[in-house]
Amino acid sequence: MKAYTYTEFADHQLVVGEIPADMLEKSKNARSLLVEAAVEADDVLFERFLEKGEESITVDELKGALRKRVLAGDFYLVTGGDGRGVMVEKVLDLVVDYLPSPLDVDAIWGVNPKTGDEIERKPSESEPLAGLAFKIATDPFVGKLIFVRVYSGKLTAGSYVLNTTTGNKERIGRIVRMHADKREDIDSIGAGDIAAVVGLKSTFTGHTLSDLAHPITLESITFPDPPVSIAVEPKTKADQEKMGIALQRLAEEDPTFRVHTDDETGQTIMSGMGELHLDILIDRMRREFSVEANIGEPQVAFRESIKGTSDVQGKHAKQSGGRGQYGDVWVKFEPNETGKGFEFIDAIKGGVVPKEYIKPVEAGIRETLEGGVIAGYPVVDIKATLHDGSYHDVDSSELAFKLAGAIAAREGIRQAKPILLEPVMRVEATTPEEFMGDVIGDLNSRRGRIESMEDLSAGAKLIKAIVPLAMMFGYTSDLRSMSQGRAASSMELAQYEEVPPNVAQEIIEKRSSK
């Protein structure tokens, strides 16, 4: 029942004073509720509280009762305040007063990597070593720091340990205790301690470090797949190499951050837990690695296909003084079953196209389909039947028939009612009932189809919809904005569907202008 304040951000001491008059009544009510909840942990305190009121409970008794309830998992203590500067000391005091020490919790269980048997490790330095790497940070002075929590045994600088996750033996270079922006070299850490280790080469977040003679693998940390992605590219050639290094370092530090190159678009794609997460990583690239980058939405991986059939001739004939080039084929194109991809059928009879030229025809068709015909996207779910053609004894060659196949593919797709396909996502949005109308209206505006609505507990609604991926960029932020931050969503690829004609025309024109 005191007020803790400070004047300047750099203050080293809190000023202890009386609670301001305008907050006193609220503070008294909150304390009464706290005391009532705490004394339920102790029958003696509870009886005294009922007989003599909350004034009969001392501060030490209150702390003891609260700690007892926290350790039992009955409830969680919540505190508030300014999170800067010296206020953090108050939070650490609360950690010491109420949260369990390593001796207050049960022994940890792991698995013997050789036999698969479960093993117990008590929080004692006399037990074999078992530690978990739970965070990676890059220090400009000492390089990669791997934060380790020791559950049993002792981790000593200069010793060798086994990374049971990878099976590699690692040498512990230095052990440093971190004090904000300062580092203190120490010789060892024991059960219950946390410190940073320098010198580990192949240890990453979630890996177990154990005694060489007594291996154990602790339960790893499970990280959800990042739902939000953006495309990133260096602003200059000088930034290109630096960006690769920066992204690699950031990905090592943060397991919820992923980087990959899209094979179809050639873009570098950053994926994270939200748009704010990615904004911070872009800012860190700029500040810590001096990398300037342009960011934007990733291109959607559209596909092309056909709805009709066509039977076309592909003929490549060229005469240039000496030996010419001659290849002539007739190919029928028709839709294939969804998901079957490209299928080539050789229906040549009577040797009108010699066998050695069949494979080059298929290669010419396949290469053309991979590069797209109407908008430059791969053509999928199509059947091509080679059924007729002609050849020249002298001028025909594998190259000529490959080019003939390519000509047939380009013309055949154009004549067979080509369509554009887009990836559509299965979206699930959970929202309080009061925002349901806004959420549904927004999904409809994104060309979404609402499939179902379900009631959840506490007045929440679950909305399931099918929405094109192209319309889902920025959705996480928009959903939070329209629901006061109370709605959440998840999405996964459902299938590829035909793009509406007006949208398809817009995409084709945009691609043609590039």
Side-chain angles (χ1 to χ4, degrees):
M1 292 300 287
K2 296 289 181 185
Y4 296 87
T5 58
Y6 61 86
T7 307
E8 299 292 337
F9 177 74
D11 284 357
H12 289 283
Q13 294 294 328
L14 285 169
V15 179
V16 184
E18 296 303 317
I19 296 171
D22 60 335
M23 299 181 186
L24 188 57
E25 197 58 37
K26 281 186 179 178
S27 299
K28 284 181 178 177
N29 291 338
R31 182 183 172 81
S32 293
L33 291 171
L34 187 69
V35 174
E36 282 177 29
V39 295
E40 289 178 19
D42 189 305
D43 292 340
V44 175
L45 286 181
F46 189 59
E47 286 179 19
R48 195 198 311 162
F49 172 74
L50 291 175
E51 290 173 9
K52 300 180 181 178
E54 67 178 78
E55 293 78 15
S56 63
I57 311 297
T58 67
V59 171
D60 287 341
E61 286 173 332
L62 179 59
K63 282 185 174 182
L66 287 171
R67 180 178 175 80
K68 193 173 178 180
R69 296 217 68 185
V70 170
L71 296 188
D74 288 343
F75 59 54
Y76 301 93
L77 296 178
V78 179
T79 187
D82 185 337
R84 298 178 302 165
V86 74
M87 287 301 292
V88 176
E89 291 183 16
K90 291 304 294 180
V91 179
L92 293 177
D93 289 342
L94 295 171
V95 168
V96 172
D97 287 342
Y98 301 114
L99 298 189
S101 85
L103 298 175
D104 291 318
V105 295
D106 296 331
I108 195 165
W109 287 84
V111 174
N112 185 322
K114 293 178 181 174
T115 64
D117 297 334
E118 283 198 334
I119 316 169
E120 183 186 53
R121 287 282 192 272
K122 294 185 175 66
S124 165
E125 290 190 13
S126 61
E127 291 266 306
L129 171 69
L132 188 71
F134 67 90
K135 177 180 171 59
I136 293 177
T138 303
D139 188 289
F141 301 105
V142 297
K144 191 163 73 172
L145 291 171
I146 294 161
F147 286 79
V148 176
R149 201 275 203 193
V150 176
Y151 285 91
S152 67
K154 201 172 183 181
L155 189 66
T156 308
S159 65
Y160 283 91
V161 297
L162 178 67
N163 180 331
T164 53
T165 308
T166 64
N168 296 332
K169 193 162 80 167
E170 293 263 39
R171 184 179 183 276
I172 305 297
R174 292 165 57 196
I175 300 176
V176 291
R177 182 169 284 137
M178 305 300 291
H179 301 276
D181 57 347
K182 297 186 183 70
R183 298 172 304 279
E184 174 194 352
D185 279 277
I186 53 178
D187 295 329
S188 63
I189 51 172
D193 286 341
I194 289 173
V197 176
V198 182
L200 299 179
K201 290 185 173 63
S202 57
T203 298
F204 298 97
T205 303
H207 289 188
T208 300
L209 299 178
S210 83
D211 188 280
L212 290 168
H214 303 88
I216 184 174
T217 302
L218 303 176
E219 183 181 356
S220 187
I221 305 166
T222 303
F223 299 102
D225 290 330
V228 180
S229 301
I230 58 171
V232 60
E233 59 181 28
K235 281 191 175 178
T236 66
K237 274 201 168 182
D239 287 318
Q240 191 159 3
E241 191 176 335
K242 287 194 293 181
M243 189 179 86
I245 296 167
L247 290 173
Q248 182 187 345
R249 294 264 177 86
L250 292 171
E252 282 179 359
E253 289 184 22
D254 185 351
T256 61
F257 169 56
R258 314 266 171 86
V259 183
H260 74 277
T261 301
D262 190 307
D263 293 332
E264 292 174 10
T265 64
Q267 290 177 300
T268 300
I269 307 295
M270 295 172 58
S271 303
M273 300 312 293
E275 286 168 87
L276 177 61
H277 182 198
L278 294 173
D279 285 345
I280 291 169
L281 290 168
I282 292 289
D283 184 57
R284 284 190 61 194
M285 277 173 55
R286 192 178 296 117
R287 286 186 295 105
E288 297 176 25
F289 300 95
S290 303
V291 175
E292 294 294 334
N294 296 318
I295 59 171
E297 293 177 355
Q299 295 178 17
V300 176
F302 290 98
R303 298 284 189 272
E304 297 176 22
S305 194
I306 56 174
K307 291 173 76 175
T309 60
S310 64
D311 195 355
V312 297
Q313 181 184 26
K315 187 173 183 179
H316 177 71
K318 192 174 181 182
Q319 200 67 40
S320 54
R323 182 179 172 180
Q325 292 183 29
Y326 185 89
D328 176 28
V329 295
W330 279 88
V331 185
K332 182 182 179 183
F333 292 93
E334 57 191 320
N336 206 351
E337 290 177 42
T338 302
K340 277 287 186 73
F342 170 62
E343 188 178 348
F344 178 79
I345 299 169
D346 173 13
I348 290 294
K349 290 184 174 66
V352 290
V353 175
K355 280 206 173 298
E356 64 265 28
Y357 298 144
I358 303 293
K359 282 286 183 189
V361 173
E362 181 185 351
I365 295 172
R366 193 179 290 275
E367 284 182 16
T368 302
L369 298 184
E370 285 173 358
V373 175
I374 59 171
Y377 296 106
V379 183
V380 297
D381 300 335
I382 195 168
K383 195 183 289 182
T385 305
L386 173 63
H387 63 88
D388 201 359
S390 62
Y391 72 100
H392 189 279
D393 286 334
V394 177
D395 292 347
S396 287
S397 64
E398 289 188 2
L399 176 61
F401 273 92
K402 183 178 180 181
L403 293 170
I407 292 166
R410 278 195 294 274
E411 191 55 37
I413 298 303
R414 289 197 178 99
Q415 292 183 23
K417 297 180 183 174
I419 57 171
L420 206 57
L421 302 175
E422 64 181 341
V424 295
M425 312 302 286
R426 186 175 288 107
V427 178
E428 293 190 0
T430 308
T431 176
E433 190 169 359
E434 63 205 86
F435 305 112
M436 188 173 72
D438 291 338
V439 173
I440 291 173
D442 180 68
L443 288 171
N444 286 331
S445 73
R446 295 172 187 268
R447 295 196 280 123
R449 301 193 308 273
I450 307 299
E451 291 198 315
S452 67
M453 288 174 280
E454 300 172 17
D455 290 325
L456 300 176
S457 58
K461 296 282 186 180
L462 174 63
I463 301 163
K464 295 182 179 179
I466 296 291
V467 193
L469 175 61
M471 306 302 292
M472 289 302 290
F473 297 121
Y475 181 67
T476 308
S477 295
D478 292 346
L479 182 65
R480 286 179 183 149
S481 298
M482 73 181 79
S483 65
Q484 299 174 4
R486 294 163 64 192
S489 69
S490 65
M491 65 178 180
E492 63 180 9
L493 181 65
Q495 68 235 12
Y496 273 81
E497 291 183 0
E498 184 180 349
V499 178
N502 59 321
V503 179
Q505 190 58 39
E506 193 179 310
I507 293 166
I508 292 167
E509 287 173 2
K510 191 175 177 182
R511 294 279 289 186
S512 301
S513 65
K514 286 187 177 180

